[in-house]
Amino acid sequence: MLKLDKVSKTYKTGDKALHHACFEVPAGQVVGLIGPSGAGKSTLIRCINRLVEPSSGSIQLGDTELTGLNRRELRRARRRIGMIFQEYALVERLTVMENVLSGRLGYLPAWRSYFRKFTGDDIAQAFSLLDKVGLADYADKRADALSGGQRQRVGIARALEQNPELLLVDEPTASLDPKTSRQIMRLIRSACQERNLPAIINIHDVLLAQQFSDRIIGLRAGEIVFDGPPDALTDDVLTTIYGDEDWTQLRGENGSGDQGEDASGVDLMESA
Amino acid sequence: MNHSSLNPQWHYRTPGQSLLRWLGWFWLVAFTVVCWQIMNENTIWAFVSDAPQQAADIGGRMFPPAWGYINNLWHPLWDTLNIATLGTLLGVLFAIPVAFMAATNTTPSVRFVRPLALLIIVSSRSINSLIWALLLVAIIGPGLLAGIVAIGLRSIGFVAKLLYEAIEEIDEKQVEAIRATGASGAQVIDYAVVPQILPAFWGISVFRWDINIRESTILGLVGAGGLGIQLNASLSTLAWNQVAMIFIVILGTVVISEWVSARVRQAVL
C-alpha cells in the first residue's frame, strides 16, 4: 500500500510543481493520473521513488517512510518500486535480456553485475516474463533493433523483474499507435491484477485512462482537483482539470478511442 | 507597376551587420598586407631565388632511395610501433578516470574534482609530444621508455577530452531508468553509461593510436627512440637517399595505421 501525505515539490527555479498531494493507493488498485502538460504528473510519480526529491510531506510504501531514507536505504526502497517510462528508456545498446535483468541490479553486488552473473532464479524469471510479454525469441537481440511496442514490452518486463510492490508508469503510450497503446495498457493492467500490484499511471489520453484504471486522479497546476472512479469523470470534471473545452466530441457517439482523438482534433479547429 | 514600394521589404542583413562584415573583410586584407611585409623583411631573397635548384638538387640526391637501407630500419620501426601502441594504452588507461571526473553528469564533485580533471586535460593537451619527450629524455634518460611516457602523457588529455564530451552527451533517461531499479552508482555507470559511450571510446582510442604512430616517428629526433633516431642520423650525415627511404617507410606505416583505424571504427559503430 502507498500513502502520500501533503507531498509538495518546489523546484529551485521557484516553480511550484506539486502542492499538498494526499492520497492512498491500496494493493491491486490501478490509478490513472491525468492532467494537462506541466500539471505535475511526472513530478508526482518521480517524488515517490525520489528521482525527484520532494520538498515536504510524507510518502509511505508499506511500513517504510520513503522521504527520510539515506542513499543506501533509498536504493533498497527503489528495488521495491518498478518504473515504466515514456519512450521506454531501455539501454539501447544492451540486449533485451540484459535490459530485463537490470531490474535485479539492486539485489546484486557490483562485481557480479559487471560479469553479468545473475542468479539462476533471476534468469528463469526473466525468460518467463519475456515469454509473457511475447518476446521470448528476442532475448539476445539488441534493444535498438526492436519496434516501439516491443521496446515498451521489454520496459514492462524490466519493471516486473524487480518483483515490485508498486508500479510507477510514466506516459507508457505517448509514442505508440492507438492499437499498440491498448495492448500495452492491457498488459500493465493484467500484470497488476495478477500480482495484486498497485500502480500509478501517468497518462494523457483520457479515454485510455478511463478504460484501464480503477480510479482517476486529476491534477491541475500541482493540485489534486479530482479523485474518483472513472465513470465520475464528467464534462464538468474535465473542465476543472483541463479548462474550458467542448468535451462531448471527445467521447464521440462511436465510442472508439481512435475516433475520439480525431474528433478532438476537429474540435480544436472549430474553436480556433 | 510600382510594386516594389508597396511590397514589404526584406533584407538578409541589417545595415549594421553589412558594415561589420565589410569591416571584417577590410581588416583581414590589411592584416595580410602587413604580415606579408613583416615576412619579407627577414627573408634573404638570394636564398629564395635559387630554391628550385636547391629542391631539385636534394630531390636528385634522394633518388634513388637507398632500398637496402630498409634492413637497418626494421628494428627502429618496431620500436616506433611499440612506442605508439604502449603509449596509447598508457594514455587511455589514465584518460578513463579523468574523463569520468571531468564530465558534469558523472563527476563526484563539480566544485573540486572537475576543475582538477580539466586541469589535467589542459596541461596534457597544451604540451606537444616532442616537448614531453625532450623533458622526459632529460628526466628518465634517452630510449623507448621516454617515448612511451611522452606519447602517453600527450594522449591523456586528447582521449579524456573527447571521452568526457561523449559522456556528457549520453541519454539521461536510460541512466534514470537504471537508477530507478535501485542500482548503485557503479552499476549505473556499468549498465547505463558505458554501453552508450563504448562506440565513441573505441573510435577515439583508435584515432589517437593512429595519430601516435605519426608522432612517434619523430620522437627519435630528441632521443626518445624509434625511426626518428635513424632520421636524425641520416639527416646530419646528409645521406639523402637514406632519408628518402625513411620517408617511404613512414608513409607506408601511416597508410596502414589509417586503414586499420578506419576498419576498427567501422566495426564498432
Side-chain angles (χ1 to χ4, degrees):
Chain A
M1 193 190 76
L2 177 75
K3 187 177 173 188
L4 274 76
D5 192 26
K6 289 186 183 160
V7 177
S8 300
K9 171 66 185 176
T10 310
Y11 283 105
K12 272 182 196 156
T13 52
D15 294 324
K16 283 195 157 188
L18 204 60
H19 186 66
H20 283 236
C22 300
F23 61 89
E24 279 182 36
V25 186
Q29 189 178 61
V30 175
V31 178
L33 189 61
I34 62 171
S37 306
K41 304 191 297 289
S42 193
T43 302
L44 173 56
I45 272 198
R46 281 172 168 73
C47 277
I48 295 170
N49 63 359
R50 282 176 55 192
L51 288 175
V52 167
E53 209 58 53
S55 311
S56 63
S58 124
I59 303 169
Q60 279 186 308
L61 177 65
D63 297 328
T64 318
E65 171 60 49
L66 296 177
T67 48
L69 301 179
N70 65 31
R71 281 170 66 161
R72 193 184 173 78
E73 292 164 338
L74 176 62
R75 287 215 311 269
R76 287 180 178 277
R78 277 178 179 162
R79 302 193 303 202
R80 298 159 55 195
I81 307 171
M83 190 157 180
I84 297 168
F85 292 83
Q86 183 177 5
E87 275 153 6
Y88 338 118
L90 300 181
V91 183
E92 299 283 313
R93 293 181 54 88
L94 293 184
T95 62
V96 167
M97 197 59 179
E98 283 173 294
N99 269 292
V100 177
L101 284 171
S102 66
R104 299 308 291 177
L105 286 177
Y107 294 90
L108 224 60
W111 70 269
R112 286 196 65 148
S113 64
Y114 178 78
F115 291 107
R116 309 304 195 245
K117 285 209 167 293
F118 291 86
T119 65
D121 290 347
D122 291 349
I123 294 168
Q125 182 180 234
F127 270 120
S128 89
L129 282 169
L130 278 179
D131 193 36
K132 184 182 261 166
V133 299
L135 293 173
D137 302 332
Y138 290 79
D140 292 322
K141 280 244 164 61
R142 242 167 63 165
D144 54 10
L146 269 54
S147 71
Q150 290 172 329
R151 287 186 206 196
Q152 194 56 292
R153 288 161 193 274
V154 178
I156 294 169
R158 172 173 67 189
L160 294 178
E161 176 78 11
Q162 284 176 246
N163 277 324
E165 293 167 42
L166 169 71
L167 216 49
L168 302 175
V169 192
D170 189 19
E171 303 279 4
T173 61
S175 31
L176 299 175
D177 65 69
K179 184 178 172 215
T180 315
S181 295
R182 271 157 187 73
Q183 292 171 338
I184 292 292
M185 291 300 288
R186 201 167 292 126
L187 199 57
I188 293 173
R189 181 161 178 90
S190 72
C192 288
Q193 278 169 340
E194 215 170 275
R195 295 157 180 254
N196 203 23
L197 196 61
I200 302 180
I201 305 179
N202 241 341
I203 191 159
H204 264 300
D205 189 323
V206 175
L207 288 168
L208 269 185
Q210 281 182 298
Q211 194 178 342
F212 291 101
S213 327
D214 304 313
R215 170 184 172 192
I216 301 277
I217 292 180
L219 268 182
R220 178 174 194 171
E223 300 205 36
I224 293 177
V225 291
F226 173 80
D227 187 348
D231 15 318
L233 209 57
T234 59
D235 291 359
D236 284 346
V237 172
L238 284 173
T239 301
T240 325
I241 299 173
Y242 290 99
D244 266 329
E245 186 56 73
D246 182 4
W247 299 108
T248 48
Q249 300 258 353
L250 174 75
R251 301 175 201 285
E253 266 59 67
N254 343 13
S256 123
D258 318 7
Q259 267 137 346
E261 275 158 11
D262 285 344
S264 64
V266 171
D267 196 12
L268 265 178
M269 287 174 67
E270 279 171 0
S271 59
Chain B
M1 261 186 284
N2 207 354
H3 278 297
S4 59
S5 63
L6 290 173
N7 287 339
Q9 295 287 305
W10 180 83
H11 295 288
Y12 180 37
R13 296 192 176 89
T14 65
Q17 283 172 328
S18 301
L19 184 68
L20 264 179
R21 283 179 63 88
W22 187 86
L23 281 176
W25 280 109
F26 181 78
W27 183 83
L28 191 67
V29 171
F31 190 65
T32 310
V33 171
V34 171
C35 287
W36 184 257
Q37 272 179 333
I38 293 172
M39 188 179 78
N40 285 359
E41 265 170 32
N42 293 317
T43 308
I44 301 166
W45 286 104
F47 285 165
V48 179
S49 60
D50 70 344
Q53 284 107 294
Q54 294 291 344
D57 184 35
I58 289 180
R61 287 166 202 252
M62 279 182 161
F63 195 81
W67 297 111
Y69 190 56
I70 193 159
N71 289 323
N72 298 19
L73 295 180
W74 292 125
H75 189 70
L77 177 63
W78 177 239
D79 284 352
T80 295
L81 292 177
N82 279 333
I83 291 174
T85 310
L86 293 176
T88 310
L89 277 177
L90 186 75
V92 167
L93 212 64
F94 282 94
I96 293 169
V98 173
F100 276 97
M101 289 193 294
T104 42
N105 47 353
T106 54
T107 185
S109 143
V110 180
R111 272 264 191 71
F112 301 104
V113 181
R114 183 161 192 266
L116 184 74
L118 291 181
L119 183 70
I120 294 174
I121 291 174
V122 169
S123 41
S124 154
R125 276 163 58 79
S126 60
I127 301 174
N128 189 288
S129 303
L130 205 59
I131 316 270
W132 276 122
L134 256 173
L135 287 173
L136 287 160
V137 167
I139 296 167
I140 50 180
L144 287 186
L145 186 64
I148 293 169
V149 178
I151 291 286
L153 285 175
R154 175 68 183 81
S155 303
I156 291 175
F158 181 91
V159 175
K161 183 180 168 66
L162 292 179
L163 195 59
Y164 98 70
E165 283 170 355
I167 296 173
E168 287 182 347
E169 278 169 22
I170 60 170
D171 175 14
E172 283 293 332
K173 293 194 63 176
Q174 301 180 27
V175 175
E176 194 184 35
I178 296 296
R179 183 168 289 134
T181 65
S184 67
Q187 288 172 324
V188 170
I189 286 179
D190 180 13
Y191 275 73
V193 182
V194 170
Q196 294 194 62
I197 61 165
L198 216 51
F201 171 77
W202 286 113
I204 295 163
S205 302
V206 175
F207 183 35
R208 188 63 223 185
W209 174 75
D210 181 22
I211 296 172
N212 283 345
I213 287 203
R214 273 170 278 164
E215 294 209 335
S216 57
T217 55
I218 56 162
L219 288 186
L221 288 177
V222 296
L227 280 172
I229 295 179
Q230 233 66 29
L231 185 62
N232 201 14
S234 300
L235 276 173
S236 44
T237 54
L238 302 177
W240 293 105
N241 51 358
Q242 292 181 3
V243 172
M245 191 60 230
I246 294 170
F247 284 170
I248 291 169
V249 169
I250 291 176
L251 183 76
T253 315
V254 171
V255 167
I256 293 171
S257 78
E258 287 215 23
W259 179 78
V260 170
S261 87
R263 288 302 295 268
V264 171
R265 267 182 285 174
Q266 243 173 18
V268 294
L269 288 182

